[in-house]
Structure formats: structure tokens, C-alpha cells
Amino acid sequence: FGAWTVHLPEVLGRVVGVSEILCAVMLFGVFVLRARGWAHWSAIALIVNQAIAAAFHLAHNEIGSLPQNGVLIAVLALVAWGSRPRAVSA
């Protein structure tokens, strides 16, 4: 499947690509209690990224990419839910 960032100016596409990589790395925080907040917000950022990607794919008639976006959104939603901040009980 094609990268949706090809439809952006090159500099912006590179910024998006770097942010995707950084967020993906921060998702590993889900395994470290003190870093779960980073994983939570990274998952949310990547959900937004995938929603934008899906809109670009749809606008450019790249329908074959949509299932991949859907699966990633679902998995990222599970990560966001599982790493959400919780109130500490006394």
C-alpha cells in the first residue's frame, strides 16, 4: 500500500514520518509502569494519524489501504485504553 504522506509537501511528509516513528517507540512504554502515560498519548496521536491517513486514502480512491487503517486504529485503541491513567486508591 502507498504511504499517504506522498500527498503532502515533502518536508511535512518527513515530519509526519518522524513523528510516527517516535510515537511507535513510545508505545513500548505500555510495558513500563512509569511510562504508560507516554504510551497512552502516543496511541491517541497515532489513532488521529491513522484517521487522517484513512481520509487521505479515501479521498485518493486508495480503498485497499482502509482495512489496514482500521486494524491499526482498533489495536491502538486497545493500547490507549490499557495504558490510560488511573486514579490511585488510598
Side-chain angles (χ1 to χ4, degrees):
F1 299 111
W4 68 276
T5 54
V6 299
H7 304 292
L8 300 176
E10 184 177 349
V11 172
L12 185 56
R14 290 186 186 277
V15 169
V16 170
V18 169
S19 71
E20 288 175 339
I21 292 168
L22 291 174
C23 284
V25 168
M26 289 190 288
L27 287 177
F28 285 108
V30 76
F31 300 112
V32 180
L33 186 58
R34 290 185 175 185
R36 286 199 178 150
W38 289 99
H40 175 76
W41 291 109
S42 295
I44 290 173
L46 287 169
I47 288 169
V48 171
N49 173 282
Q50 287 301 305
I52 293 168
F56 269 80
H57 289 307
L58 192 59
H60 291 92
N61 203 26
E62 299 169 351
I63 306 303
S65 297
L66 295 178
Q68 176 180 328
N69 297 127
V71 168
L72 285 170
I73 288 171
V75 170
L76 289 164
L78 287 173
V79 172
W81 180 79
S83 61
R84 72 195 181 283
R86 295 179 182 92
V88 178
S89 59

